[in-house]
């Protein structure tokens, strides 16, 4: 592997991927305002070298997976599609737990059908003990159900999302975990120790909300560094994550071709040591 790639189990992907969540409608619910534009963003991402797309059938629901299928199928060799199960959407667009064995099996089949696949590359178990942040509690029941779906041949690799350090340890005792997907960015760094531990064991860490999510990163330090480097604040924030650890895989989402290209260009941004130290100070 080069510094630009990392592993998801036995799958090698470029460290800069694409997150499909924002392709659905407002509040990640319903269809997009511009379906043709959404399809174009997906095709441009893959044409630009993206080979890791993050999605879920509860985005929309069903919307992003159907867009991915329409835009990209038949899928090119080497394209890895990672999805999430463990939640469902209420009629009011609320986020609800869906982690019984029957619900998890249904979710896997929904993802397979809407993506047009007969096996899912990576399935992240999304914990909903607290939908907004990791919260302690055993994951044995839902993870055992997902591992059974893996044994049936429907799932290639398993990951965990919205989890605590203790839940990662519990999960790793039960089955192979190829990635952990939690909130992490320049300003939200609760998982520093976990990232380093996973890196030592060759496990990918996939930060969601790498640019702050629904509350975009805003920092005078970030803006000042970006101006000095002739880059955008978003590019600097993404580049910092790539520098943070070799096991970090990025999945920034956008509905804009221009923003997509800006995000991808962050891979080439050089951050000198003094800049890294300045950015690290944001968390303090």
């Amino acid at each position: 592997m080069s510094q630009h790639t990392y592993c998801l189990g036995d799958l090698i992907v470029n460290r800069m991927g694409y997150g499909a969540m924002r392709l659905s409608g407002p509040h990640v619910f319903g269809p997009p305002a511009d379906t043709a534009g959404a399809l174009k963003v997906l095709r441009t991402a893959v044409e630009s070298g993206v080979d890791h797309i993050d999605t879920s059938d509860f985005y929309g629901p069903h919307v992003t997976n159907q867009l991915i299928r329409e835009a990209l199928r038949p899928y090119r060799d080497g394209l890895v599609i990672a999805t999430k199960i463990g939640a469902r959407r209420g009629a009011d667009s609320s986020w609800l737990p869906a982690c019984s064995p029957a619900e998890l099996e249904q979710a896997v089949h929904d993802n397979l059908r809407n993506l047009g696949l007969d096996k899912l590359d990576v399935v992240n178990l999304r914990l909903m003990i607290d939908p907004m942040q990791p919260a302690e509690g055993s994951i044995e029941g839902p993870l055992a159900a997902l591992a059974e779906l893996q044994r049936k041949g429907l799932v290639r690799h398993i990951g965990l999302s919205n989890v605590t350090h203790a839940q990662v340890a519990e999960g790793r005792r039960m089955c192979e975990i190829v990635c952990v997907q939690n909130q992490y960015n320049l300003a939200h760094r609760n998982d520093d120790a976990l990232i380093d531990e996973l890196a030592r064991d060759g496990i990918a860490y996939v930060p969601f909300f790498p640019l702050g999510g629904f509350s975009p990163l805003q920092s005078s330090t970030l803006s000042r560094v970006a101006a000095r480097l002739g880059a955008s604040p978003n590019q600097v924030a993404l580049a910092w994550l790539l520098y943070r650890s070799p096991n970090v895989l990025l999945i920034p989402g956008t509905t804009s071709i221009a923003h997509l290209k800006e995000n991808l260009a962050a891979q080439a941004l050089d951050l000198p040591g003094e800049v890294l130290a300045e950015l690290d100070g944001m968390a303090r």
Side-chain angles (χ1 to χ4, degrees):
M1 290 184 294
S2 77
Q3 61 179 334
H4 303 296
T5 61
Y6 201 73
C7 58
L8 284 165
D10 61 354
L11 305 169
I12 305 297
V13 296
N14 293 323
R15 293 179 62 205
M16 182 69 80
Y18 175 78
M21 182 179 78
R22 294 180 60 187
L23 292 181
S24 53
H27 310 295
V28 201
F29 201 73
D34 179 6
T35 297
L39 297 173
K40 187 174 181 182
V41 166
L42 284 164
R43 291 176 182 135
T44 302
V46 172
E47 290 162 2
S48 302
V50 167
D51 58 6
H52 171 211
I53 293 177
D54 181 83
T55 185
S56 174
D57 209 61
F58 53 68
Y59 295 161
H62 316 307
V63 171
T64 59
N65 280 354
Q66 291 171 357
L67 289 168
I68 289 168
R69 183 185 65 198
E70 182 176 348
L72 301 177
R73 197 167 178 262
Y75 301 112
R76 65 172 58 181
D77 289 345
L79 178 64
V80 173
I81 299 177
T83 189
K84 284 172 289 299
I85 62 174
R88 63 181 177 85
R89 306 302 297 280
D92 59 352
S93 80
S94 56
W95 302 81
L96 304 169
C99 56
S100 71
E103 288 172 315
L104 296 174
E105 183 167 9
Q106 182 62 54
V108 164
H109 284 287
D110 287 345
N111 277 279
L112 289 167
R113 182 182 67 255
N114 286 311
L115 287 167
L117 293 167
D118 54 18
K119 189 172 191 173
L120 298 171
D121 291 325
V122 180
V123 176
N124 290 298
L125 177 63
R126 179 41 152 104
L127 269 290
M128 295 286 287
I129 297 169
D130 180 341
M132 305 308 294
Q133 61 189 357
E136 295 296 355
S138 176
I139 64 172
E140 181 178 359
L143 186 56
L146 179 51
E148 178 59 27
L149 295 168
Q150 184 184 43
R151 282 189 288 273
K152 289 180 177 179
L154 301 177
V155 173
R156 187 167 181 172
H157 294 300
I158 292 174
L160 298 172
S161 179
N162 197 41
V163 285
T164 67
H165 187 277
Q167 288 163 341
V168 173
E170 180 184 15
R172 293 183 64 192
R173 288 193 295 269
M174 292 180 60
C175 63
E176 182 188 11
I177 301 297
V178 303
C179 58
V180 172
Q181 190 177 98
N182 278 357
Q183 182 178 359
Y184 184 86
N185 54 51
L186 259 172
H188 189 281
R189 298 185 54 181
N190 295 353
D191 276 357
D192 271 332
L194 177 60
I195 289 173
D196 295 337
E197 178 183 313
L198 295 174
R200 287 192 293 270
D201 292 338
I203 298 172
Y205 184 91
V206 188
F208 63 75
F209 295 161
L211 300 173
F214 300 117
S215 301
L217 292 174
Q218 293 182 325
S219 159
S220 57
T221 299
L222 182 58
S223 298
R224 186 170 61 249
V225 167
R228 204 159 71 234
L229 295 176
S232 73
N234 280 358
Q235 286 177 316
V236 174
L238 292 172
W240 177 85
L241 285 165
L242 291 173
Y243 271 83
R244 170 60 186 83
S245 182
N247 65 324
V248 170
L249 302 180
L250 298 188
I251 49 168
T254 180
T255 60
S256 157
I257 297 286
H259 287 159
L260 171 69
K261 291 181 177 179
E262 178 185 306
N263 291 344
L264 295 176
Q267 300 171 93
L269 191 59
D270 182 45
L271 300 183
E274 66 273 13
V275 166
L276 291 171
E278 198 173 343
L279 293 171
D280 283 342
M282 280 178 56
R284 295 191 290 273

